[in-house]
Amino acid sequence: MSVRPAWEVREGSRATRWLQIRLAFADGAGVDALAVVSEGDVRVEEVRARPGLSLEDLAELSHWIEAPLARACGAGPGAGTGAHRGRRIRPTGPEGRHLVAREYRAAQLAGADPVLAVMGATGCSRRGALRLIGRARDAGLLTPRHARRRTADPGR
């Protein structure tokens, strides 16, 4: 993998840098990306892949480029490991299903998005979190997806 500066624009004390990222895989596949770094914010503006990336691979792209991109931005050794975001290992087995159910219900009670809560607790993508939620439902730890709460209706 290589990360090299493409160009830089300075406005007073602020600088915006564009970096070209190239990933080459052993099977001949490759990914080229253009990242923009400005005031500590990193955005990937363009991605080209041969062959094309699946949505799961696109979601993993940030993990592939995080450490080299952090080093190129001068974040120092060990930077970009994902530890700063509190990423956790994908939960497995009964303990994992209980964790998912607990996070899901806590988010529901707080009025937050339960899928986002599971994503944050597990470090999984949205699709992975939905799979874990489905497994917790299958284990009987969450209500069925289409079950609706009955409310008292004075008209009935």
Side-chain angles (χ1 to χ4, degrees):
M1 179 169 150
S2 67
V3 178
R4 44 188 197 110
W7 62 91
E8 183 173 317
V9 175
R10 291 198 170 272
E11 258 183 71
S13 63
R14 292 180 30 188
T16 302
R17 297 174 30 192
W18 282 261
L19 302 166
Q20 291 179 334
I21 303 161
R22 173 163 283 166
L23 293 126
F25 297 94
D27 63 357
V31 177
D32 292 312
L34 182 64
V36 180
V37 181
S38 177
E39 296 181 357
D41 184 35
V42 177
R43 293 181 316 272
V44 176
E45 296 225 333
E46 183 177 324
V47 176
R48 294 181 185 196
R50 292 163 311 280
L53 297 174
S54 69
L55 288 177
E56 286 180 346
D57 288 341
L58 189 58
E60 287 295 314
L61 179 64
S62 64
H63 299 295
W64 297 340
I65 66 174
E66 182 177 21
L69 191 55
R71 283 191 300 272
C73 293
T81 61
H84 64 284
R85 287 187 291 196
R87 292 256 180 212
R88 297 184 185 156
I89 296 172
R90 181 168 289 172
T92 59
E95 298 84 13
R97 288 189 291 275
H98 283 282
L99 166 74
V100 168
R102 190 171 46 250
E103 293 292 329
Y104 188 94
R105 284 192 301 270
Q108 275 184 322
L109 288 172
D113 184 341
V115 177
L116 288 178
V118 172
M119 289 169 61
T122 63
C124 292
S125 67
R126 183 170 186 80
R127 188 175 191 179
L130 289 170
R131 264 193 228 112
L132 294 172
I133 292 166
R135 289 181 187 139
R137 278 199 175 101
D138 291 345
L141 299 172
L142 294 170
T143 58
R145 186 167 177 238
H146 298 292
R148 296 177 191 240
R149 291 186 197 177
R150 293 194 171 201
T151 58
D153 186 358
R156 287 191 169 175

